[in-house]
Amino acid sequence: MGAPPTVVEVNDLHKTFRPEVFGKPVTALRGVSFSVREGECFGYLGQNGAGKTTTLKVLTGLMTPTKGTASLLGKPSGDAHARRDLGYLPENPYFYEHLTPVEALEFYGRLSGVSPADVRARTPRLLERVQIQDVADRRIRGFSKGMRQRLGLAAALVAEPPLLLLDEPLSGLDPHGRHLVKEIVLEERKAGRTVFMCSHVLSDVEELCDRVVVLHGGVVVKDGAIHDLLDSEPKSFELTADRVPAELRARIQAASTHYRESGDKITAHVRGSILGPEFAAAVQGAGGRVLSLVPERETLETWFVRVTGTAGSARMGSDS
Amino acid sequence: MRDRIAVVAKATFLEAVRDRVLLVSAAFALGLMLFSRVLGWLSLEDTLKMVQDFSLSGLQVLGLLLAMLIGAQSLAREVERRTIYTVLSRDCTRTEFVIGKYVGLVAVAWAVLLVCGAFQCIWVVIWGGSIGGAIAAAILGVLCETLALMSVALLLGALANPSIASVGTLCFYFAGHATEALRDLTQGDRGQDMKGVFQIIYRIVPNLENVNFINHTTSGRPVDWTHLGFGAATMVVWAVVFLAGAAALFRRRQF
Amino acid sequence: MDARLIVVAGIAAAAWMQGPAGAHNEERRRNDFRYTPDPAVVLVAAGAHKSTAADLLWLRTLPDMSKEFADPVLKARWIDNSLESITDLEPSFMTVYDFGQAYLTYLDRRAKGAADRAIALLEKGIRANPDSSGLHVRLAMIHFLEKHDRAKTIEILGRASVMPGFDSLSANMLTTLMAKQRDDAFALRYWVDRMEEGTPEMRRVATLHFWRTKNEIARRAAREFKQATGHAASAASDLNDPKLLQPEAIPAILDGLEFAPDGMPRYPKLFDLEIADFAQSAEAWARTFHDSEGRWPKLDEFESLPAAPAGKAWRFSDGKMTLVEAK
């Protein structure tokens, strides 16, 4: 069985913004290349100004690259028909303010080539799925940011596209909304759709995505599966136990970075991948009881800071 | 393609028809219509003429206002409010989008103009006038003029920000109605040194007077329907030219 | 501070200040200066709204026509410029020609060249509206009353006589002038032609004028007969003379002609037509009276009731005016 086909292909993408009259040109992308395979949930990460939005605009045909190519499902991204199979949720989506969600979904569905009957059939289901069915006939004008975000997701899904391009899909949502959107993303993934997601909330990316590309200063600095990028060995352990003899307590306290006692119970953070399990075994051997032993691995957040910090220095170095 | 144009046109129509600006513009035209009766009293003998002239002038200004407030701002607002992102990221070319916007805007302008025109016809009948070919020609002329005005507004909207596009549309309106008078001016003994310039301007600037039949309503002159038909065809040609320009400019825009 | 208080106080202050400001404006306008741009500029600037611009300028000019200006030269210049601009903007604005010529020939008749200015205005109107009988008639009247040019009057009325809307009073004037010029046949033929066309009412009026014209011509011939012979004519055959009447008009003139005891010619048919015409006008007026007052007028309420013939009396009943035997 071969690898799944490529859905998004970005190759040596450059984009330079030329000032209208005066000023220096600004380069947003400097040879970005990556690809997304069918069925993947792909995270596209980068700090503000890294070039994420520019890449998305090129992919959605809103911008033409200065150099390089971008294709969606094998067709150049500038070709309107390539976008027929794309569901795009921009960051802070804006709609025609005087339309209702039902009219908006009809509009977007029809623009993507869905028949009027199919749009009519899908609309109630979609509105229910994003849980804005109660405001289906109210004008969008009065909607909160979260309601707009949900409607934007429904608009991206209305054509049931094989590829979803989601720019900050969880921004502006309350905890319930965030949970709902995550559920939908996971469901879409399960249904075999490819999800391309930009987000600043790295824990969300870690939770949802298989693979990430990190962009910094218009250059791809990392590209890989999340489990490959993050260290698999635990960095530290949090041990919670009770009935621990005093001598053992003193040893654990001496080796911990954080140590807390509460009555008979102790909680200790110990560095490294060895000490934690060793202390747990010692507690059990001394007649104590291990309540929990939680390994602490590197998060995407700490990894991102580490990677972009290094890349940033490298970039600055190369610039100078 | 036709489907997508129709979809954009419908959304544009719904969006514009629910905009408060539309109501304010129509209220202006209807207000001028009602005010015409006051002027009729002052005129002693020409109540009906004043009622017709001011009502139809109001209708024409309404067409201009719609082009300035809705047409010229349309594309720029799409970009400013980022609604364009969700539209152009679909299976819709920019040319289809511009044509769809144009069709929707013209439809909404015509709907408003026809409703106001109907009110004006009733108003004219109330004050002793009759509805004949002349008033129908005047209203049709305003509708034809809107074709050209709206396309220019879209072209300027694709080129510049909303304020500049609105002012540009206003300038086009004045120029379009003045070129004939300027050319005629040089047919006497005046302005001979500018004769060539005015002739060129007359040729290259759309002559909106070709569809201006307001004077016919009160002059009693018979309406030359061939002239109106020719004028309407000219407006369509100009609209196509401006629309093609707007689409070409819009295709080059980076969002 | 309460914003509402500021609004109310502001309105009060502005209203108070507008009094003195208005008085100052009055002072500024005392010299009656009115500015009108060059008519050519007005034409370009009015753009699409030429007709409406003409209305506005007319509304601005109209009250000034009856207003005394400190400087009559300024007034004449302002009115002339306005009339020029308005008629440039809307060449078919008939009221402007009407009021304009009336203003120039009546209200401003003492001004230098008023009649010529009125003629120029009407000629401009006729150039733009060559089928307007009304403008022709007004122009003819100025030539007749102000210039005393009978030939020009006849020429203009002659042109107007074939235009739609040429009124019977003007036609009567034309035929009377023609008769005075001894063109009897033209005068009669004009009415004979009108008697054969138009609505029944138009034919009735033409018939009445035909007989009135005959009467006019017969009276002229009778006067000339008396001057020539020293005695009054007593029979129709007395007027059967090409020196008195145009030969081709003689049969028509002599048809139905009688002479009163005082030697004046009369047509009994004309008398009947006049009575019927009066009765028709009186009944129309009575209907208007009835509509506004809710009752029919009494006989003594009719204005200018002509004397009934001997042995007859007017009777008005149920909207009908008739002549009955006197009691």
Side-chain angles (χ1 to χ4, degrees), chain A residues 310-320:
Chain A
T310 315
S313 314
R315 185 82 258 149
M316 281 164 69
S318 72
D319 277 353
S320 62

Side-chain angles (χ1 to χ4, degrees), chain B residues 39 42-46 49-50 53-54 57 60-61 173 177-178 181-182 185 190 209 212 214-215 218-219 221, chain C residues 38 40-41 43-45 47-52 54-56 58-59 62 89-93 95 98-99 129:
Chain B
L39 297 173
L42 296 175
S43 76
L44 302 180
E45 281 199 342
D46 295 293
K49 173 175 160 45
M50 301 281 161
D53 283 345
F54 279 86
S57 273
Q60 204 183 46
V61 172
Y173 172 81
H177 281 290
L182 283 173
L185 201 67
R190 298 181 59 159
E209 283 295 293
N212 182 11
I214 293 181
N215 284 16
T218 43
S219 69
R221 273 176 291 161
Chain C
D38 184 329
V41 176
L43 202 61
V44 173
H49 307 278
K50 294 185 177 62
S51 191
T52 311
D55 293 349
L56 285 172
W58 177 237
L59 289 174
L62 191 58
L89 286 166
E90 194 175 358
S92 57
F93 201 159
T95 313
D98 261 6
F99 272 62
N129 306 277

Side-chain angles (χ1 to χ4, degrees), chain C residues 24-324:
Chain C
H24 181 68
N25 278 343
E26 286 289 309
E27 189 64 30
R28 273 196 307 147
R29 293 204 189 98
R30 189 149 288 176
N31 65 4
D32 295 318
F33 181 74
R34 303 275 191 280
Y35 174 73
T36 40
D38 184 329
V41 176
V42 174
L43 202 61
V44 173
H49 307 278
K50 294 185 177 62
S51 191
T52 311
D55 293 349
L56 285 172
L57 194 50
W58 177 237
L59 289 174
R60 182 83 180 84
T61 312
L62 191 58
D64 281 350
M65 285 187 164
S66 54
K67 191 185 163 198
E68 282 290 330
F69 274 50
D71 182 349
V73 176
L74 272 183
K75 179 177 180 179
R77 198 167 73 197
W78 151 245
I79 301 279
D80 282 353
N81 268 345
S82 285
L83 294 177
E84 182 74 12
S85 284
I86 296 165
T87 50
D88 276 352
L89 286 166
E90 194 175 358
S92 57
F93 201 159
M94 292 301 171
T95 313
V96 178
Y97 298 114
D98 261 6
F99 272 62
Q101 64 87 23
Y103 160 76
L104 289 167
T105 50
Y106 297 103
L107 288 174
D108 200 33
R109 60 182 304 137
R110 282 171 302 166
K112 195 179 162 195
D116 291 328
R117 283 155 63 203
I119 288 171
L121 178 67
L122 287 168
E123 284 178 343
K124 182 181 178 187
I126 287 171
R127 278 196 300 280
N129 306 277
D131 294 332
S132 167
S133 58
L135 293 180
H136 281 85
V137 167
R138 277 160 190 74
L139 182 62
M141 291 302 289
I142 295 174
H143 279 291
F144 185 71
L145 296 170
E146 306 294 327
K147 296 285 182 183
H148 311 292
D149 185 343
R150 198 174 280 188
K152 190 82 180 164
T153 307
I154 290 173
E155 181 221 315
I156 297 167
L157 285 177
R159 269 190 279 144
S161 67
V162 292
M163 292 174 188
F166 186 58
D167 65 294
S168 58
L169 277 175
S170 306
N172 202 24
M173 182 182 175
L174 171 65
T175 51
T176 305
L177 287 172
M178 296 298 283
K180 280 204 165 82
Q181 283 202 333
R182 310 189 78 83
D183 197 348
D184 304 334
F186 171 90
L188 294 177
R189 202 179 320 115
Y190 177 82
W191 291 118
V192 169
D193 290 347
R194 298 291 89 76
M195 281 155 66
E196 290 169 0
E197 61 187 29
T199 61
E201 175 59 14
M202 286 160 76
R203 286 186 217 167
R204 185 190 71 77
V205 172
T207 308
L208 180 64
H209 283 301
F210 172 72
W211 286 91
R212 278 178 180 164
T213 308
K214 273 172 65 163
N215 195 43
E216 198 73 31
I217 296 169
R219 286 167 76 93
R220 184 201 74 214
R223 270 197 311 276
E224 289 175 359
F225 176 84
K226 192 174 179 182
Q227 279 170 5
T229 62
H231 62 87
S234 57
S237 56
D238 289 346
L239 302 185
N240 190 358
D241 181 349
K243 288 202 280 293
L244 299 175
L245 296 167
Q246 213 177 11
E248 55 268 46
I250 288 174
I253 299 293
L254 300 189
D255 176 36
L257 179 64
E258 289 179 5
F259 278 86
D262 61 356
M264 285 312 288
R266 67 189 179 98
Y267 291 96
K269 169 84 173 170
L270 176 61
F271 178 77
D272 293 343
L273 288 171
E274 296 276 18
I275 291 293
D277 185 57
F278 168 74
Q280 189 172 331
S281 307
E283 285 164 8
W285 177 80
R287 278 195 295 278
T288 314
F289 183 93
H290 183 266
D291 289 347
S292 62
E293 302 290 318
R295 66 174 178 86
W296 291 109
K298 293 176 194 151
L299 203 55
D300 56 4
E301 286 174 305
F302 281 91
E303 283 179 12
S304 59
L305 195 66
K312 300 274 186 180
W314 288 108
R315 184 177 155 211
F316 182 73
S317 162
D318 294 333
K320 290 277 169 211
M321 180 69 86
T322 48
L323 269 179
V324 293

